[in-house]
Amino acid sequence: MMIICGHHQKVGYQENGEGAYDLAFLPRGKRMAGTGSFSEILDGENNVYKYYSEGEWRKSVSGKSVAIVNPTTRKTQYKVQACSQAEVNKVMEAAKIAQKAWAKTPLWKRAELLHKAAAILKEHKHPIAECLVKEIAKPAKDSVTEVVRSGDLISYCAEEGVRILGQGTFLVSDSFPGNERTKYCLASKVPLGVVLAIPPFNYPVNLAVSKIAPALIAGNSIVLKPPTQGAVSCLHMVHCFHLAGFPKSLINCVTGKGSEIGDFLTMHPGVNCISFTGGDTGISISKKAGMIPLQMELGGKDACIVLEDADLDLAAANIVKGGLSYSGQRCTAVKIVLVMESVADALMEKVNAKVAKLTVGPPEEDCDITPVVSESSANFIEGLVMDAKEKGATFCQTYKREGNLIWPLLLDNVRADMRIAWEEPFGPVLPVIRIGSVEEGINHCNASNFGLQGCVFTKDINKAMIISDAMETGTVQINSAPARGPDHFPFQGLKDSGIGSQGITNSINMMVKVKSTVINLPTASYTMG
Ligand code: G3H
C-alpha cells in the first residue's frame, strides 16, 4: 500500500484560500521569498517579480508579465516580467562593457566575490527553497539541498578557477622537427565574453550556478534566461550575487516569453557562448546559434542493466531512488531497467516492495512523489502509459493520477515496440525490459538516440568494465544509479544528449579560449645543461 501524504494531516500544507499554501515546513522567521533582503526584487504594487539589468531590479516597459503556475495547486503562484527585445539589446550591450572591466579584475578578487556570493546564497537557503517548492514542486528537503549544493559548487569553482586559470603553457620550438629553439610560446586562457546561460526547470538554481560561476571566475559576463517554472528561484539566487557586490551589468537576468525573447537571445550577435540545459530545444538552438562555443545537456534515457550476479537489494534501492526521486524529473534518472530474465522476478519483488513505501503528495510535506511540473507534462506521461497498456505491458501498480500528481508506476514486460521503451517520460513511471543476454541490454542502450549515462549492477568488476566500455553513454556508473554529482566530476552526453562536457573544471575550460603570445629570438637560445 502506498503511503499518501495527506491534506487530512494538516501538517505544513494548508491552503490559504488564494490557491497558495502555507509553508509550515520552513523554520519560523524564515518565510521570506520576496520579503526582507529580497523585497527589492518584487514590484509589490503589481505583485510581479522584476528582472535584473545594469545592477538594478527593473520593471519591463512592456507592462506585461508571465504567470508561473504552482504544479500542486495549478493556480498562478508568481508573475515575472515579460522583457522586450529592446530590453535584451540593452542588457547585451551593458554586459559586453562590464565584461571588459571584469576581465581586468585580478583572479583572486573574482574568487573572493564568488565565495561571498556562495555564503549569502547558503544563508538564504530557506526563502529560495520556498520558491522551488512552489514553482517546481520539488520536495522541501531536496529544495534546501539544491541551494546548499549550489553554494558549495560556487565555492569549489572559485578555488578551481584560481588553480587552473593561474597556469598556462610554455612551449619551445625545437621540439618540432626542423626548428631551432628560437620561439617561446606562452599560451594562456582568456575569457570568451558574454555567456548566455539557460538552465532547466528541474534544477533552476543549481544548473544556473553551474554555468554562472565558471563563466565569472573565467572573466566572462553573464546573461541568464531562467526557465518559466523556476524563474523566481533564479531571481532570488541572482539577488545573492547582487548582495555580494559584483560590478553592475556583469550578471543580468531577463525573464519573459520564449516566443518573444527565446530565439532573439540565442541568435543575438552579442552572445559569445551558450550553456544550455533542457530538452530537444537545445538541438534547434545549436542549429541556429552562430560560430560560438556551445555547452548542451539535453536529457537522457539512462539504462540500468542488472546482471545475474548482481546484489539485488542494492540494485532495487538504486532503481527506486534513481528512477523515482523528484518524481523521475531528472535527466539522469534511471529511465529503463534491463534485467536478466533469471533474476527479474526476484528484482521486481524487491523494487515493488520499495515503491509501496513511497509517500505521494505535496512537496511541502516532503513527499517522495510530488506533482509533475505541468499539466502538459502529466498528459505526456499519461500518453506513454496508455500506449504501453494498449501494447500489453504488465502494470505492477494501478495507474493513478490527480491533476499533475501521478502515482509511481512500474511497467514490467515492456517491449521495444512501446514508446516508453525509448522516450523519456520525465515522470514517476519506470519501464522494465527482461533480457536474455547482456548483449541484448547493451544493444537496447546503444540503439537509443540518447547517450547521457547508464549503470550496471554486477559483482564482477571485469564484466562491469567491458559493459561500461560497450555502452555508448557519457558516463557509466558501476553499482550505483546514474547521477551528475559530485559537481566537479565530468558530466557529458553523447548523441542527442548533448555537446561538450560539464563539471566544474570542464565548464571553466569551456568558457575560455586559448591565447598564445610567441617570443621570437634572433638567435637560438638553449638552456644550460
Ligand atoms: O536533470 C539533469 C541534472 O543534470 C541531473 O542532475 O544527477 O544531480 O539529479 P542530478
Side-chain angles (χ1 to χ4, degrees):
M1 199 43 209
M2 234 161 302
I3 299 166
I4 302 169
C5 296
H7 302 229
H8 60 278
Q9 295 172 345
K10 296 282 178 206
V11 178
Y13 185 64
Q14 293 173 348
E15 196 166 2
N16 65 11
E18 292 165 351
Y21 285 81
D22 187 26
L23 290 158
F25 70 90
L26 290 172
R28 290 238 161 263
K30 296 207 166 163
R31 297 171 209 179
M32 302 187 299
T35 64
S37 330
F38 295 105
S39 54
E40 67 177 291
I41 78 173
L42 180 67
D43 164 17
E45 203 180 313
N46 300 303
N47 215 20
V48 182
Y49 278 91
K50 299 178 192 167
Y51 77 104
Y52 188 60
S53 160
E54 296 179 85
E56 284 175 14
W57 291 98
R58 295 184 164 171
K59 295 192 242 177
S60 169
V61 291
S62 75
K64 293 181 194 153
S65 62
V66 178
I68 297 167
V69 175
N70 181 324
T72 311
T73 64
R74 295 192 290 155
K75 291 179 181 161
T76 297
Q77 181 74 52
Y78 301 123
K79 284 184 213 152
V80 293
Q81 307 291 322
C83 291
S84 66
Q85 294 185 352
E87 282 160 339
V88 168
N89 277 336
K90 218 164 165 220
V91 158
M92 288 293 174
E93 239 170 76
K96 187 125 289 200
I97 295 166
Q99 188 271 325
K100 302 276 179 222
W102 181 244
K104 292 179 186 146
T105 304
L107 193 48
W108 67 266
K109 275 198 187 168
R110 290 184 220 157
E112 202 172 74
L113 275 172
L114 281 167
H115 281 302
K116 205 168 163 193
I120 295 172
L121 187 74
K122 284 163 99 167
E123 196 184 311
H124 293 98
K125 59 181 185 279
H126 290 298
I128 301 175
E130 177 192 331
C131 300
L132 291 168
V133 167
K134 289 181 178 178
E135 283 187 294
I136 62 164
K138 185 168 276 195
K141 275 192 197 141
D142 293 349
S143 293
V144 173
T145 304
E146 173 170 348
V147 183
V148 174
R149 171 183 179 181
S150 302
D152 292 339
L153 190 160
I154 297 169
S155 292
Y156 190 102
C157 192
E159 287 167 23
E160 184 72 344
V162 165
R163 280 194 289 271
I164 64 174
L165 297 167
Q167 290 183 349
T169 317
F170 170 60
L171 294 106
V172 288
S173 50
D174 64 311
S175 51
F176 199 87
N179 285 273
E180 289 296 327
R181 197 180 171 110
T182 52
K183 292 173 188 288
Y184 292 168
C185 175
L186 307 169
S188 60
K189 291 166 182 171
V190 297
L192 296 174
V194 179
V195 174
L196 174 62
I198 310 180
F201 82 82
N202 61 347
Y203 284 95
V205 174
N206 185 262
L207 282 170
V209 303
S210 76
K211 303 170 192 315
I212 294 171
L216 292 179
I217 193 68
N220 300 288
S221 60
I222 274 283
V223 175
L224 173 69
K225 165 65 179 74
T228 299
Q229 305 284 144
V232 174
S233 313
C234 271
L235 293 170
H236 281 73
M237 173 272 294
V238 167
H239 193 55
C240 296
F241 283 82
H242 172 83
L243 295 173
F246 279 87
K248 70 172 192 166
S249 302
L250 188 69
I251 304 161
N252 308 275
C253 185
V254 288
T255 52
K257 292 195 172 78
S259 55
E260 171 75 9
I261 58 167
D263 277 356
F264 192 74
L265 273 164
T266 54
M267 295 165 76
H268 200 285
V271 171
N272 304 111
C273 168
I274 301 175
S275 179
F276 173 90
T277 307
D280 52 16
T281 315
I283 297 176
S284 57
I285 292 176
S286 68
K287 286 182 183 149
K288 290 182 206 159
M291 223 170 68
I292 54 171
L294 300 176
Q295 185 181 49
M296 300 256 159
E297 197 271 276
L298 315 178
K301 182 75 183 168
D302 294 5
C304 171
I305 301 180
V306 184
L307 302 195
E308 283 157 329
D309 68 344
D311 175 338
L312 294 183
D313 289 310
L314 181 69
N318 276 275
I319 287 167
V320 173
K321 186 163 185 283
L324 300 172
S325 57
Y326 188 35
S327 307
Q329 297 174 109
R330 297 165 53 240
C331 54
T332 49
V334 170
K335 298 207 182 95
I336 182 108
V337 177
L338 302 158
V339 56
M340 290 296 287
E341 177 68 63
S342 58
V343 292
D345 284 344
L347 178 75
M348 292 309 287
E349 199 183 319
K350 290 177 190 293
V351 172
N352 282 318
K354 287 185 187 298
V355 169
K357 288 189 184 143
L358 295 175
T359 55
V360 181
E364 287 85 349
E365 284 183 31
D366 214 27
C367 292
D368 299 312
I369 304 295
T370 54
V372 296
V373 71
S374 64
E375 192 175 341
S376 63
S377 176
N379 291 343
F380 176 78
I381 297 162
E382 187 163 295
L384 293 180
V385 171
M386 292 310 144
D387 175 78
K389 189 175 184 185
E390 275 163 31
K391 292 174 183 160
T394 307
F395 280 49
C396 302
Q397 293 77 23
T398 309
Y399 173 67
K400 187 174 171 192
R401 172 183 169 186
E402 276 175 18
N404 296 351
L405 185 62
I406 294 177
W407 269 248
L409 175 62
L410 254 86
L411 299 173
D412 200 353
N413 297 305
V414 163
R415 291 190 323 264
D417 63 335
M418 298 175 190
R419 285 176 57 203
I420 193 97
W422 306 103
E423 296 178 41
E424 48 170 356
F426 237 68
V429 178
L430 190 49
V432 179
I433 295 184
R434 293 171 178 237
I435 52 173
S437 68
V438 175
E439 289 69 31
E440 208 182 308
I442 293 169
N443 289 342
H444 185 92
C445 167
N446 291 351
S448 170
N449 58 318
F450 290 112
L452 190 59
Q453 293 208 358
C455 62
V456 54
F457 285 86
T458 171
K459 290 186 187 128
D460 185 336
I461 188 67
N462 299 323
K463 271 192 208 159
M465 285 308 299
I466 289 168
I467 293 168
S468 170
D469 285 345
M471 286 171 86
E472 292 168 5
T473 59
T475 303
V476 174
Q477 305 268 352
I478 297 172
N479 291 327
S480 189
R484 171 166 50 107
D487 289 334
H488 65 310
F489 279 13
F491 179 55
Q492 53 282 317
L494 308 183
K495 300 188 266 185
D496 286 354
S497 284
I499 302 174
S501 180
Q502 301 176 59
I504 291 170
T505 313
N506 287 346
S507 290
I508 296 172
N509 282 325
M510 184 264 169
M511 291 177 185
V512 291
K513 57 196 166 198
V514 175
K515 168 76 188 277
S516 297
T517 300
V518 180
I519 302 170
N520 290 276
L521 304 174
T523 49
S525 172
Y526 288 88
T527 51
M528 299 301 289

